[in-house]
Amino acid sequence: MDLYEHQAKELFGRHGIPVPRGAVAATPAEARAIAAELNQPVVIKAQVKTGGRGKAGGIRPAAGPASAEQEAARVLGMDIKGHRTRRVLVEAATVPFEEYYAAFLVDRAEGGFLAMVSGQGGMEIEELAASDPDAVVRLPVDPVTGVDAGTARLLAARAGLPEQAAEALERLWRVLVAEDALLVEVNPLVCTTDQRIVALDGKVTLDGNAAFRHRRDLAEPSDGGLEDRARAKGLNYVKLDGSVGVIGNGAGLVMSTLDVVAGAGAAPANFLDIGGGASAQVMADGLEIILADPDVRSVLVNVFGGITACDAVANGIVTALELLGERGRGRPIVVRLDGNNAELGRRILDEARHPAVRQVSTMDGAAATAAGLAAGA
Amino acid sequence: MAIFLTKDSRVLVQGMTGAEGTRHTARMLAAGTDVVAGVTPGKGGRSADFGERTVPVFGSVAEAVEETGADVSVVFVPPRFTGGAVEEAVAAGVPLCVVITEGVPVHDTVRFRALAQGRTRIIGPNCPGLISPGQSSAGIIPADITFAGRIGLVSKSGTLTYQLMYELRDLGFSTCVGIGGDPVVGTTHIDCLRAFQDDPGTDAIVLIGEIGGDAEERAAAHIAGHVTKPVVAYVAGFTAPEGRTMGHAGAIVSGSSGTAQAKKEALEAAGVRVGRTPSETARLMRSVLAGAR
């Protein structure tokens, strides 16, 4: 899970990395009050989880409280690459003398941790790494021993950062470990004209799997949409743009089903994984979520029973259709069951004789049928 | 023949007395697996009944290994205790540790992976385990889909493993390995490719990948340089949008990296035939084997 800049900086501050003074505002009046409190020139920064805010006009200087209010009014509500700006960070303006880049991350390829540090910051690090690989120092970090003061000094020296930046690097590593982060990045890390090291921007990606180790309140306000409803039921659901609703068991099989539906000439409306060992209730919850989407014109249920038993899936479909009543009619549901208890599952569906349900014995055939029904509906 | 797991493997189950552990121990026994011990801290000295088979329960992995000679551990322990359980297996010198648990923090995986280096082969986490049909099963892969044969299979996805096993069930498999869909896993595609290449019981290999990371690209480079057996591949997630996690923690397209298209192209450049669907992948494998004969 990605954090907002202000949340990342709060973590940095808690672990002793210097950040500019500031606070978050949801209204222009709040921005004005924060600027007045800071009593110096400020920067108004859109809080959205995407890059390129500066170019989009989402970062604006303000000399005092009145202009802070004005600039906040311009930034609040702004759409930046499809992300709506709901809040701004009002922060004391900092004058950089030099800019650097520093990050620690989980290195998927090596199954370990990686340090990335550069004496050149403030620009797209991917581009810099591509155009001038030597400009970015990349060093694997031993997962057991980690980054101590000596390693941090070595990193700083190799990347051409001043000595006083080493402590910030060591603390940044501590943020990665203490917060179970997949990525901690400061870009730019700056040295100010008065020789202070400050994290001017921050990006942190936390590992959702480690949430049980941390007390955090990072929940986004619920918009009551299907994704939130699915999450509340413990379902893995992603909304897509098409018209064929797709439910299956196991992430790989569902992704594959989306591809096969696309290959059959239709666009999938969603990704919905009922997971392993799904009960009838889970199947019913999933079907209800999908049928609540008005874009869905046909549904494809693709299950390969392994841990999941196909009779449970079939019972779930029957239960869901009973619960849904009228709402379950009208849109066809194509079902393909294979694997564990498939015959029993097929028989349950046959005997239920629901007018919306039709069974197809192969994955390809079922996808083609669902695609055709969506197009013809 | 088979890789990593054979009829001689002696399996212990960490978390055997829990609901999942009990259910899947029964299934492993039914698949012919020699389950010799269970481990549940605090419950040492008891035993668990599975019909005609009674399996002793020990309080620690070290004790279980000492008493039974177990050489494979299968971990069915909740995420918050999984890191500790795996580290215990590594410390006890278990050569193969299969971590089924979903939702293990990445930092824990990175740590036990580092500790295991050169001592214990770890498969997973968040994986269905592995099966050498007719010999042994360590994990949750259904044993009745297929039979013993000469195809090796390595996959990031559990259900796609089952799908391809089913499509090629008449030909049969030497070993099917589900390596898991997390960003960091103990055993990679390349580790399995290497083992299948060296296994005289494996004639051809099915490789199943997914969006996210660059494991398939790395596998392609390895195949080009080191694998002489025919490889057929399938990659899931062509329709996955950028920036959204598709089920597995690791299945995410970030910017231009991790796309199914890039993986397919890398594999094809290495001479691997890549199917667009599971059924086409199975057909490709049939034609490859027919050509080899």
Side-chain angles (χ1 to χ4, degrees), chain B residues 1 133 147-151 171-175 201-202:
Chain B
M1 277 291 285
F147 307 93
R150 303 183 62 84
I151 300 173
L171 296 174
F173 289 82
S174 51
T175 302
T202 299

Side-chain angles (χ1 to χ4, degrees), chain A residues 167-190:
Chain A
E167 192 181 358
L169 293 181
E170 190 187 348
R171 288 172 188 252
L172 188 62
W173 166 259
R174 276 190 234 157
V175 177
L176 183 89
V177 175
E179 304 294 337
D180 269 298
L182 305 177
L183 165 76
V184 290
E185 180 186 78
V186 185
N187 188 27
L189 179 69
V190 304

Side-chain angles (χ1 to χ4, degrees), chain B residues 77-92:
Chain B
V77 169
R80 67 173 66 220
F81 306 116
T82 299
V86 176
E87 287 182 25
E88 190 190 338
V90 171

Side-chain angles (χ1 to χ4, degrees), chain A residues 108-272:
Chain A
R108 289 181 69 142
E110 298 299 331
F113 296 117
L114 185 69
M116 287 178 70
V117 184
S118 176
Q120 301 174 43
M123 64 179 78
E124 288 288 332
I125 195 72
E126 291 87 358
E127 286 167 23
L128 177 64
S131 64
D132 181 9
D134 293 340
V136 183
V137 172
R138 300 166 62 100
L139 204 68
V141 177
D142 186 312
V144 181
T145 56
V147 174
D148 57 11
T151 317
R153 274 201 301 275
L154 176 86
L155 264 172
R158 276 219 209 155
L161 270 55
E163 221 179 304
Q164 71 262 37
E167 192 181 358
L169 293 181
E170 190 187 348
R171 288 172 188 252
L172 188 62
W173 166 259
R174 276 190 234 157
V175 177
L176 183 89
V177 175
E179 304 294 337
D180 269 298
L182 305 177
L183 165 76
V184 290
E185 180 186 78
V186 185
N187 188 27
L189 179 69
V190 304
C191 183
T192 61
T193 45
D194 53 351
Q195 299 296 301
R196 290 177 303 120
I197 298 290
V198 180
L200 221 50
D201 198 354
K203 185 176 174 192
V204 171
T205 306
L206 299 177
D207 180 3
N209 282 348
F212 64 79
R213 276 203 282 254
H214 305 274
R215 283 181 160 198
R216 289 177 176 135
D217 183 18
L218 300 168
E220 300 272 345
S222 167
D223 59 5
L226 289 179
E227 300 210 352
D228 288 334
R229 277 168 57 189
R231 201 173 308 122
K233 300 245 186 209
L235 294 169
N236 207 323
Y237 171 84
V238 177
K239 168 84 173 125
L240 302 170
D241 295 331
S243 58
V244 179
V246 177
I247 306 184
N249 64 323
L253 185 64
V254 181
M255 258 193 283
S256 175
T257 310
L258 301 184
D259 293 345
V260 176
V261 165
N270 66 277
F271 165 106
L272 199 156

Side-chain angles (χ1 to χ4, degrees), chain B residues 129-265:
Chain B
L130 70 166
I131 183 167
S132 298
Q135 299 190 52
S136 187
S137 170
I140 62 175
I141 297 177
D144 52 4
I145 303 175
T146 189
F147 307 93
R150 303 183 62 84
I151 300 173
L153 184 151
V154 53
S155 171
K156 271 185 179 175
S157 152
T159 36
L160 285 176
T161 300
Y162 313 161
Q163 181 71 36
L164 263 302
M165 285 166 65
Y166 179 73
E167 305 240 13
L168 294 166
R169 61 195 178 282
D170 54 319
L171 296 174
F173 289 82
S174 51
T175 302
C176 302
V177 190
I179 59 174
D182 276 5
V184 176
V185 291
T187 291
T188 64
H189 283 117
I190 294 175
D191 297 327
C192 295
L193 288 167
R194 204 173 270 143
F196 281 132
Q197 173 68 23
D198 293 342
D199 174 28
T202 299
D203 293 341
I205 303 161
V206 179
L207 180 148
I208 300 172
E210 281 176 0
I211 54 163
D214 68 349
E216 294 79 1
E217 286 86 339
R218 291 174 157 243
H222 176 81
I223 290 166
H226 305 281
V227 179
T228 57
K229 295 179 182 179
V231 183
V232 168
Y234 176 67
V235 182
F238 281 88
T239 46
E242 187 190 329
R244 307 295 304 272
T245 299
M246 305 297 275
H248 289 309
I252 180 168
V253 174
S254 319
S256 59
S257 75
T259 66
Q261 187 62 32
K263 294 173 187 301
K264 178 176 187 274
E265 283 167 14

